[in-house]
Amino acid sequence: METGTLTVPGAEIHYEVRGAGPPLLLINGGDGDAALFVPLARLMAEHHTVITFDPRGNSRSRLTAPPAPQTIEDRGHDAHLLLDAVAGGEPAYVFGTSYGGMTGMDLLARHPGRVRALVAHEPFVIDLLPDADRWHALFQEVHELYRREGLRPAMRRFTEEIGVDDAPEPDGELPAPVREMLARIRANQETCLEYELRSFTRFRPDVRALRAGRFVLVAGEERPRTLLHRTTEALAEETGARVTEFPGGHVGYLTHPAEFAVALRGALAG
């Protein structure tokens, strides 16, 4: 594995590169970083040059400008600059989960020649829902709860409402790399609640660009259904895409990496 730092406007982006072959960019969601993709990246590196990174303001990608609300377009621009730096002019396969799937959509819309195929896993496209206003109001309440009572009550409310599990505590009995990753995720959750959640969920994808490109829409096969299943299905209705089920739940790439890698290879080849 090679690691590097890319200077972009307002931030320094930590990235990791594994393997050889056609480039594959893996893009995380809200509070994740490159470490969450390690099991999947190692498997995909058998056939790809796999590029992972910590999003700006998260984990090892420090801001070089004062913190401010971010947009999916900001993250998409970072992804584009990273592909330029690491993959040169070669088009890349892109897999994104949650906000990462939305970042991939922005990348495909604004730089279609750089994306060979996009696989979007449970994108959090709240604005496509008929009750979007109710969710935006909830996210504002979560932000106010965070400001008033702190991270844990706010994340408990958020995860219960959308139907996903919160990250576990960095227990002392866990291996050191896992504890360090979980500690970074806790810090990233603060960034998410303060600067990302309310603005990222206002993103509306360019449906025409998705229809014109190679676009695969996927969701975790585990039940019960979550809010992210609803947003995925709403995007499927907008684009006419079929939703393909992938192993596991919202973090199936981490909990079921071998099965997930098989499914991802099939989607990229399809």
Side-chain angles (χ1 to χ4, degrees):
M1 180 186 74
E2 300 178 7
T3 64
T5 301
L6 177 68
T7 300
V8 300
E12 293 180 346
I13 303 299
H14 168 88
Y15 66 90
E16 301 174 0
V17 182
R18 294 173 173 83
L24 168 62
L25 177 66
L26 305 181
I27 311 178
N28 256 307
D31 52 22
D33 63 23
L36 284 179
F37 277 139
V38 167
L40 178 63
R42 287 174 174 163
L43 293 166
M44 298 303 294
E46 296 172 5
H47 303 287
H48 291 274
T49 299
V50 181
I51 307 161
T52 58
F53 67 102
D54 297 352
R56 64 165 56 216
N58 287 267
S59 296
R60 297 153 292 193
S61 289
R62 72 180 192 91
L63 295 176
T64 56
Q70 298 183 31
T71 65
I72 291 295
E73 291 79 6
D74 294 332
R75 192 167 284 189
H77 187 55
D78 291 344
H80 177 235
L81 295 176
L82 182 59
L83 284 178
D84 278 351
V86 178
E90 186 175 359
Y93 294 102
V94 178
F95 169 80
T97 182
S98 192
Y99 294 152
M102 296 149 70
T103 304
M105 293 175 208
D106 177 72
L107 188 62
L108 177 60
R110 291 198 288 164
H111 308 282
R114 301 309 311 277
V115 180
R116 188 173 298 186
L118 167 63
V119 178
H121 177 254
E122 300 195 350
F124 205 33
V125 281
I126 291 294
D127 243 15
L128 298 184
L129 297 178
D131 57 346
D133 288 347
R134 178 239 167 180
W135 290 104
H136 289 309
L138 171 70
F139 300 151
Q140 179 62 35
E141 291 175 12
V142 168
H143 177 259
E144 293 169 0
L145 181 61
Y146 164 66
R147 286 281 190 90
R148 187 174 62 249
E149 299 185 25
L151 179 63
R152 299 279 29 94
M155 284 303 300
R156 189 178 308 114
R157 173 84 187 279
F158 174 66
T159 55
E160 287 175 355
E161 290 282 353
I162 69 171
V164 301
D165 294 330
D166 193 5
E169 294 289 341
D171 188 280
E173 295 183 1
L174 294 170
V178 177
R179 292 200 310 272
E180 292 165 5
M181 178 186 69
L182 291 174
R184 292 196 303 268
I185 287 174
R186 287 291 183 226
N188 294 346
Q189 287 176 340
E190 304 221 19
T191 299
C192 179
L193 294 182
E194 186 65 44
Y195 300 114
E196 298 174 353
L197 174 63
R198 293 170 299 158
S199 53
F200 281 8
T201 53
R202 296 286 180 179
F203 172 77
R204 294 187 70 89
D206 184 334
V207 172
R208 182 177 298 179
L210 297 181
R211 288 174 176 165
R214 277 193 59 197
F215 172 59
V216 182
L217 189 57
V218 303
E221 65 185 4
E222 286 186 355
R223 297 295 186 267
R225 286 166 48 87
T226 69
L227 178 61
L228 292 119
H229 285 90
R230 285 191 61 207
T231 56
T232 303
E233 290 164 359
L235 183 58
E237 291 180 9
E238 289 283 330
T239 60
R242 179 174 63 91
V243 179
T244 301
E245 289 193 340
F246 266 34
H250 191 53
V251 290
Y253 52 88
L254 181 63
T255 59
H256 299 69
E259 299 94 330
F260 205 95
V262 171
L264 181 55
R265 290 190 195 106
L268 295 176

